[in-house]
């Protein structure tokens, strides 16, 4: 009997069975009922673990190349007469830092000014024969500065006896160039706690080397270049204000460039630009190593970083457009003892110098500088502002807000149309699938962020654009392909690579950099020491990391879920977290070190305020507090000296309040005298006094204040009782009567000046009408807060404070800012019922 031949289908099935192990994407089996079963092949857990590790490595690689990779420093011979040499600039940094801290009013600042003046004179002597170089040692008169936004909003900033070095470079045979100038500015002064290698001796050094190079190029310029080396920046941007309001050259400036530091070294990045986009467009075109992020500009403008730069004065007071650059590496050392030359990364000055030299050469040769008041004439429309970001520090992407609006609106509309069409075509199952799909949900979240950012015209919205469009395109391009049996193909590794390559390239460096900035902020987070919960800084950092991971790694986690490697990755993550926690809690990885120190203040306080109730003998004590959240238990255990810590040790320093700190009264009698205590004296009291226009001024109190030689002080005026005031230095009225803004119920006046600044002032107080009425009420209850409160500062050590500082742990450093007291402070007040 002859065998029946095997059916063709059976043969085909056998063949398919033999090739089954080689199936890569999917396997299809058919039965007698013609049912189709699809089983996706899973990649090995090892492959996905390697892919996850590669993703992390690539992310850090982007950050490293974008922020850590520096150009090689050049010697004078390598740079040539017309080039920029970091080796020459470093000599200036070294000379300035060897002077030690040089705050306003110090002998060290006088020596720093003389050094910069000598360097400027040398540039004048070695200039090109067809170039004119003018050097001006400018002494500013007393003045007052009131800013409408930022860290100094609500304060009146008064200055006196400030000195600046101004250097102007222009072509000798083009006299019209002097009428249009580009300003490059930075400050020589430091805070009392730091020698200022980063903030901002590095900026001054770059400017001196730039000026030397520009003096060899300027014969072909169409515009002048002015270099301003100012003082008083650290005490309230006073140097920039005195220059733009008093110096005759200020009227010729069309564009302002400010160089700053909020750390030490690294790449000096552009973090504020505008309002007119001319400067940033030329910088993007000319810079050799462009570095800048509109994300930093948005963060700075939001107030999350409580700081200010001279650029604010140039923009608000002078109405100029321009650029603001800052070093931000090692931001935790900002305004501490660790702002020193040893931590300045090689290549940092070369990076900024070459970028600025290329930009200035292009800008100085331009015939299209913005004219007039850019703020009023050319910066009003949002469409004129620029969105900018760099790619790996080698190329800068830049487009105007008008184009950004069009691009974002297009993506938003198309995304909504695609999702709507999918729902309509797929019906109820598609709606359920869309709601439950993690990838779709996260894309929807990015779409919401894109819409909100576009509505509020936030430049950083470009991040949402890049995290929305490339992954969606890759997913649609690869996964929408259907098999002959109309079943979607499984997710592919290529989708992951294509979808994440562009977003990671554009934003990975920013996310890591922002985490570093948050850590640096936490080190000096507490505006009123003890007023912030200890855990808040950790929570902010943890929330930021969680949000970034949720918005970015969710793409990767979708693939991990399909690969079946969830458990190994979850276990590895938990192990890594536990190990990190053990290392921190055990002290193996301390929260602070000698190079990344905790910000503290040691102040010898002499309190003559009488707790706002009248005169009494001054009390003397040492106050120890920290702007870093957390207790000072370990520090006090090492220092000893009789400190007692707690929240009941409240000290009102006028510009801040110590809500938690440590006090000691032992051995604090020496190092000061009664003659140092400032006095507040009521000269006269009047009612119904008419002004020159015949208006009734109501109740007026005339007060004289003697600061007893202090050239740095802060005065607070009760805004509930006093609606206005005038402030005089002799016969000169520095602060006229007008509408004053306040902060937390107080008008704050901050003063800083040189060694020859005056220390006696007159204050006229105009009472609010309701206060005048209550004044006649015999049953008026005594107020618990004073009418005036005053703090005067001296940068000198008493025997007790010197002993405390000598025992300060290595992981601590004095911290200085415009609002913080110096090492010796006197407190006084005037009660309401004087």
């Amino acid at each position: 009997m002859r065998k029946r031949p095997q059916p063709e289908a059976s043969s085909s099935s056998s063949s398919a069975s033999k090739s089954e192990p080689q199936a890569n994407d999917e396997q299809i089996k058919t039965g007698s009922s013609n049912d189709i079963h699809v089983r996706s092949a899973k990649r090995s857990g090892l492959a996905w673990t390697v892919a996850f590790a590669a993703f992390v490595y690539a992310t850090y690689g982007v950050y490293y190349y974008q922020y850590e990779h520096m150009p090689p420093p050049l010697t004078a011979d390598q740079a040539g007469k017309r080039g920029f040499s970091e080796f020459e600039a470093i000599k200036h940094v070294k000379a300035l830092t060897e002077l030690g801290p040089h705050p306003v009013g110090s002998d060290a600042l006088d020596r720093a000014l003389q050094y910069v003046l000598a360097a400027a004179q040398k540039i004048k002597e070695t200039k090109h024969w067809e170039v004119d170089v003018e050097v001006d040692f400018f002494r500013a008169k007393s003045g007052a500065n009131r800013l409408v936004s930022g860290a100094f909003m609500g304060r009146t900033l008064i200055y006196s006896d400030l000195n600046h070095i101004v250097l102007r470079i222009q072509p000798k045979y083009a006299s019209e160039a002097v009428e249009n100038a580009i300003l490059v500015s930075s400050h020589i002064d430091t805070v009392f706690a730091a020698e200022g290698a980063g903030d901002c001796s590095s900026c001054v050094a770059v400017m001196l080397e730039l000026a030397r190079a520009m003096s060899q190029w300027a014969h072909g310029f169409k515009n002048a270049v002015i270099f301003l080396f100012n003082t008083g920046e650290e005490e309230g941007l006073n140097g920039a204000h005195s220059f733009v309001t008093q110096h005759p050259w200020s009227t010729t400036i069309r564009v302002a460039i400010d160089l700053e530091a909020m750390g030490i070294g690294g790449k000096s990045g552009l973090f504020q630009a505008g309002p007119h986009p001319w400067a940033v467009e030329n910088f993007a075109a000319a810079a050799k190593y462009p570095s800048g992020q509109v994300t930093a500009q948005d963060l700075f403008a939001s107030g999350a970083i409580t700081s200010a730069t001279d650029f604010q004065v140039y923009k608000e007071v002078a109405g100029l457009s321009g650029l603001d650059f800052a070093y931000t590496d090692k931001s935790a050392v900002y305004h501490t003892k660790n702002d020193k030359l040893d931590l300045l990364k090689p290549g940092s000055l070369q990076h900024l110098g070459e970028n600025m030299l290329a930009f200035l050469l292009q800008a100085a040769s331009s015939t299209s500088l913005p004219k007039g008041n850019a703020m009023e004439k050319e910066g009003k429309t949002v469409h004129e502002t620029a969105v900018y970001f760099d790619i790996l520090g080698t190329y800068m992407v830049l487009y105007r807000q008008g184009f950004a609006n069009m691009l974002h609106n297009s993506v938003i509309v198309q995304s909504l149309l695609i999702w709507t069409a999918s729902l309509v075509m797929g019906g109820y199952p598609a709606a359920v699938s869309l709601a439950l799909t993690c990838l779709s949900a996260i894309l929807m979240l990015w779409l919401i962020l894109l819409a909100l950012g576009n509505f509020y015209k936030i430049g950083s919205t470009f991040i949402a654009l890049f995290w929305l469009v490339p992954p969606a395109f890759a997913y649609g391009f690869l996964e929408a392909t259907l098999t002959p049996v109309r079943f979607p193909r499984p997710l592919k590794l290529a989708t992951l690579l294509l979808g994440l390559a562009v977003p990671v390239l554009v934003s990975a460096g920013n996310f890591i950099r922002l985490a570093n900035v948050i850590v640096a902020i936490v080190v000096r987070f507490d505006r009123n020491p003890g007023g912030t919960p200890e855990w808040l800084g950790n929570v902010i950092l943890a929330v930021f990391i969680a949000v970034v991971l949720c918005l970015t790694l969710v793409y990767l986690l979708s693939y991990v879920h399909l690969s079946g490697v969830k458990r190994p990755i979850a276990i590895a993550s938990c192990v890594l977290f536990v190990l990190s926690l053990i290392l921190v809690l055990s002290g193996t990885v301390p929260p602070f070190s000698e190079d990344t120190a905790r910000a503290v203040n040691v102040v010898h306080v002499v309190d003559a305020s009488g707790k706002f109730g009248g005169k009494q003998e001054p009390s003397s004590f040492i106050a120890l507090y920290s702007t870093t959240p957390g207790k000072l238990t370990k520090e006090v255990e090492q220092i000893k000296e009789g400190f007692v810590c707690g929240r009941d040790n409240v000290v009102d320093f006028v510009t801040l309040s110590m809500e938690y700190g440590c006090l000691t009264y032992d051995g604090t009698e020496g190092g000061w005298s009664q003659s140092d205590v400032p006095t507040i004296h009521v000269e006269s009291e009047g009612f119904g006094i008419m002004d020159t226009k015949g208006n009734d001024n109501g109740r007026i109190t005339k007060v004289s204040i003697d600061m007893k030689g202090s050239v740095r002080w802060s005065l607070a005026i009760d805004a509930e009782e006093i609606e206005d005031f005038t402030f005089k230095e002799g016969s000169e009225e520095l602060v006229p009567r007008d509408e004053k803004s306040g902060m937390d119920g107080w008008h704050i006046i901050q003063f800083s000046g040189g060694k020859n600044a005056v220390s006696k002032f007159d204050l006229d107080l105009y009472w609010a009408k309701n206060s005048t009425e209550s004044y006649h009420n015999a049953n008026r209850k005594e107020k618990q807060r004073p009418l005036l409160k005053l703090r005067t500062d001296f940068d000198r050590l008493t025997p007790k404070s010197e002993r405390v500082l000598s025992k300060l742990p290595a992981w601590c450093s004095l911290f200085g800012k415009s609002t913080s007291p110096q090492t010796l402070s006197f407190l006084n007040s005037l009660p309401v019922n004087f």
Side-chain angles (χ1 to χ4, degrees):
M1 186 173 175
R2 195 172 51 151
K3 276 188 174 183
R4 295 180 57 188
Q6 294 293 331
E8 209 171 290
S10 176
S11 173
S12 173
S13 175
S14 175
S15 173
S17 177
K18 290 179 181 179
S19 62
E20 182 178 338
Q22 298 177 359
N24 186 28
D25 292 324
E26 57 183 296
Q27 296 171 338
I28 303 178
K29 295 182 179 180
T30 61
S32 59
S33 61
N34 292 324
D35 291 336
I36 302 176
H37 305 278
V38 179
R39 180 171 63 86
S40 298
K42 295 183 179 180
R43 298 184 184 274
S44 69
L46 178 61
W48 284 105
T49 303
V50 171
F52 184 82
F55 174 82
V56 174
Y57 181 79
T59 300
Y60 181 76
V62 169
Y63 166 76
Y64 177 83
Y65 200 86
Q66 186 170 10
Y67 289 103
E68 300 290 338
H69 183 68
M70 296 292 160
L74 299 181
T75 64
D77 291 338
Q78 291 172 326
K81 290 182 66 175
R82 294 185 171 188
F84 184 94
S85 167
E86 177 172 309
F87 280 85
E88 294 302 304
I90 283 290
K91 294 177 182 177
H92 299 309
V93 181
K94 184 177 181 182
L96 291 171
T97 53
E98 284 177 347
L99 299 174
H102 34 282
V104 171
S106 66
D107 292 332
L109 182 58
D110 290 340
R111 293 193 292 271
L113 279 163
Q114 290 303 315
Y115 175 84
V116 174
L117 179 61
Q121 293 289 359
K122 185 177 180 180
I123 292 171
K124 182 177 180 178
E125 294 168 2
T126 58
K127 65 179 177 62
H128 189 279
W129 67 275
E130 292 183 293
V131 175
D132 269 343
V133 175
E134 300 174 77
V135 179
D136 182 25
F137 186 88
F138 176 61
R139 181 177 180 181
K141 299 182 297 183
S142 299
N145 177 18
R146 280 195 308 217
L147 298 173
V148 298
S149 63
F152 296 106
M153 183 175 63
R155 300 174 187 265
T156 300
L157 308 167
I158 302 177
Y159 52 84
S160 178
D161 190 35
L162 297 180
N163 298 308
H164 318 309
I165 309 297
V166 193
L167 184 150
R168 181 165 67 180
I169 300 175
Q170 62 194 47
K172 181 178 291 187
Y173 302 112
S175 58
E176 68 278 4
V178 75
E179 297 302 321
N180 297 286
I182 301 162
L183 175 69
V184 184
S185 170
S186 192
H187 63 95
I188 304 174
D189 62 306
T190 70
V191 296
F192 72 93
E195 62 187 35
D199 186 19
C200 209
S201 295
S202 58
C203 312
V204 171
V206 167
M207 286 173 56
L208 287 171
E209 179 63 6
L210 277 174
R212 181 204 59 76
M214 296 290 286
S215 69
Q216 306 301 319
W217 282 96
H219 52 284
F221 288 175
K222 294 180 174 62
N223 308 295
V225 180
I226 296 174
F227 291 89
L228 170 62
F229 305 87
N230 70 65
T231 64
E233 191 274 347
E234 295 293 4
E235 299 298 337
L237 317 181
N238 297 325
H241 186 272
S242 63
F243 173 77
V244 300
T245 57
Q246 299 181 27
H247 200 283
W249 294 353
S250 65
T251 58
T252 67
I253 296 170
R254 304 290 174 254
V255 174
I257 312 300
D258 182 51
L259 305 184
E260 256 297 349
M262 285 173 269
I264 180 168
K267 289 187 176 181
S268 181
L270 175 64
F271 74 103
Q272 289 191 97
H276 193 280
W278 182 91
V280 67
E281 287 174 348
N282 277 268
F283 174 76
K288 189 175 181 180
Y289 312 104
S291 179
Q293 297 290 334
V294 73
T295 307
Q297 177 172 304
D298 291 337
L299 184 67
F300 200 79
S302 70
I305 300 177
T306 55
S307 186
T309 71
D310 285 337
F311 186 70
Q312 183 180 355
V313 173
Y314 301 136
K315 189 167 65 171
E316 286 187 13
V317 180
L320 297 168
S321 289
L323 306 173
D324 200 2
F325 295 87
Y327 288 113
T328 55
D329 259 23
K330 301 180 178 69
S331 294
V333 310
Y334 176 65
H335 283 189
T336 69
K337 66 178 182 181
N338 292 320
D339 187 1
K340 54 190 178 182
L341 182 59
D342 294 346
L343 297 181
L344 186 60
K345 184 182 298 182
S348 301
L349 306 189
Q350 192 71 41
H351 174 265
L352 176 59
E354 292 199 44
N355 279 346
M356 287 304 303
L357 182 59
F359 166 73
L360 289 174
L361 290 176
Q362 177 164 310
S365 302
S366 173
T367 58
S368 60
L369 290 182
K371 303 293 183 181
N373 193 319
M375 283 285 288
E376 294 180 0
K377 296 181 180 179
E378 300 177 88
K380 283 188 175 181
T381 65
V382 182
H383 293 276
E384 287 295 313
T385 59
V387 176
Y388 56 91
F389 55 92
D390 70 270
I391 304 295
L392 299 181
T394 58
Y395 180 78
M396 179 164 281
V397 178
L398 184 143
Y399 48 89
R400 298 197 180 189
Q401 188 63 49
F403 176 78
N405 294 341
M406 180 182 67
L407 180 62
H408 298 164
N409 287 331
S410 174
V411 171
I412 292 169
V413 171
Q414 290 184 54
S415 299
L416 292 176
L417 287 175
I418 291 172
W419 266 307
T420 302
S422 300
L423 292 175
V424 172
M425 295 176 63
Y428 178 76
V432 174
S433 175
L434 184 65
L436 296 179
T437 301
C438 185
L439 181 60
S440 298
I442 207 67
L443 287 174
M444 183 64 75
L445 181 56
W446 279 119
L447 180 64
I448 293 172
L449 293 176
L450 179 65
L452 289 175
N454 188 59
F455 179 79
Y456 289 105
K457 305 297 184 292
I458 301 174
S460 304
T461 307
F462 78 89
I463 295 178
L465 180 71
F466 279 102
W467 279 97
L468 174 65
V469 175
F473 176 79
Y475 182 82
F477 182 73
L478 288 180
E479 307 308 331
T481 305
L482 302 180
T483 64
V485 292
R486 311 298 297 169
F487 272 76
R489 304 179 68 181
L491 294 172
K492 292 193 169 53
L493 186 60
T495 311
L496 176 68
L497 297 177
L498 288 177
L500 293 186
V502 174
V504 168
L505 187 67
V506 170
S507 61
N510 289 342
F511 289 143
I512 297 176
R513 190 63 162 190
L514 188 54
N516 291 339
V517 171
I518 292 174
V519 171
I521 291 174
V522 169
V523 174
R524 50 188 179 275
F525 184 69
D526 222 345
R527 178 173 170 265
N528 293 309
T532 303
E534 299 177 22
W535 45 263
L536 185 58
N538 295 330
V539 169
I540 292 173
L541 182 60
V543 169
F544 169 76
I545 293 174
V547 169
V548 170
L549 291 178
C550 289
L551 290 175
T552 58
L553 285 188
V554 68
Y555 294 115
L556 187 63
L557 295 179
S558 301
Y559 293 80
V560 170
H561 171 73
L562 294 176
S563 71
V565 76
K566 298 187 296 295
R567 182 175 297 176
I569 289 181
I571 292 174
S573 300
C574 291
V575 170
L576 184 63
F577 171 77
V578 171
L579 287 176
S580 302
L581 194 62
I582 291 173
L583 289 174
V584 172
L585 294 179
S586 65
T588 306
V589 180
F592 303 104
S593 65
E594 188 169 353
D595 285 338
T596 306
R598 182 178 189 178
V600 301
N601 285 82
V602 176
V603 188
H604 191 141
V605 181
V606 179
D607 188 355
S609 64
K611 296 303 179 184
F612 317 139
K615 294 183 179 180
Q616 70 172 27
E617 285 299 314
S619 61
S620 175
F621 56 88
I622 300 291
L624 170 66
Y625 68 84
S626 175
T627 54
T628 307
K631 295 183 178 180
L632 293 164
T633 308
K634 290 184 178 180
E635 288 79 1
V636 168
E637 287 177 355
Q638 180 165 328
I639 297 172
K640 299 183 177 20
E641 295 295 333
F643 277 104
V644 177
C645 303
R647 292 192 173 274
D648 53 343
N649 297 328
V650 177
V651 179
D652 188 344
F653 284 108
V654 181
T655 53
L656 59 90
S657 177
M658 187 183 82
E659 304 293 338
Y660 166 84
C662 307
L663 303 182
T664 178
Y665 293 83
D666 300 342
T668 60
E669 299 81 8
W672 63 276
S673 67
Q674 187 73 36
S675 61
D676 294 325
V677 179
T679 59
I680 305 174
H681 180 66
V682 177
E683 297 291 340
S684 64
E685 181 92 335
F687 295 88
I689 300 175
M690 309 296 286
D691 61 17
T692 56
K693 296 181 180 180
N695 299 319
D696 185 357
N697 285 323
R699 181 185 177 191
I700 302 176
T701 301
K702 294 183 178 293
V703 179
S704 64
I705 305 176
D706 188 349
M707 305 302 174
K708 297 299 179 74
S710 173
V711 295
R712 185 181 190 266
W713 51 262
S714 300
L715 175 70
I717 304 171
D718 189 344
E720 294 180 2
E721 298 286 349
I722 305 300
E723 67 177 9
D724 208 344
F725 61 89
T726 62
F727 191 87
K728 298 179 181 179
E729 176 191 303
S731 60
E732 182 181 1
E733 188 176 66
L734 297 179
V735 182
R737 186 180 181 186
D738 55 13
E739 294 183 3
K740 305 291 195 306
S741 59
M743 184 172 61
D744 300 329
W746 297 94
H747 296 296
I748 304 290
I749 301 176
Q750 289 180 221
F751 177 93
S752 71
K755 292 183 296 183
N756 299 318
V758 297
S759 59
K760 294 183 179 180
F761 304 92
D762 296 311
L763 184 67
D764 290 352
L765 304 175
Y766 296 83
W767 292 69
K769 290 183 178 180
N770 58 347
S771 294
T772 304
E773 293 168 1
S774 62
Y775 178 79
H776 297 288
N777 187 353
N779 298 321
R780 181 182 181 221
K781 295 182 179 179
E782 186 176 323
K783 289 193 63 172
Q784 295 300 312
R785 59 191 241 166
L787 184 66
L788 304 177
K789 52 183 182 178
L790 172 67
R791 187 193 83 221
T792 58
D793 294 332
F794 293 89
D795 187 17
R796 72 172 190 246
L797 296 176
T798 63
K800 180 68 173 182
S801 60
E802 188 173 15
R803 190 159 61 250
V804 171
L805 286 173
S806 68
K807 297 181 179 180
L808 203 64
W811 66 82
C812 293
S813 171
L814 287 183
F815 175 69
K817 60 186 299 186
S818 63
T819 56
S820 60
Q822 292 183 325
T823 50
L824 176 60
S825 292
F826 294 86
L827 304 179
N828 208 340
S829 66
L830 179 68
V832 173
N833 58 340
F834 54 85

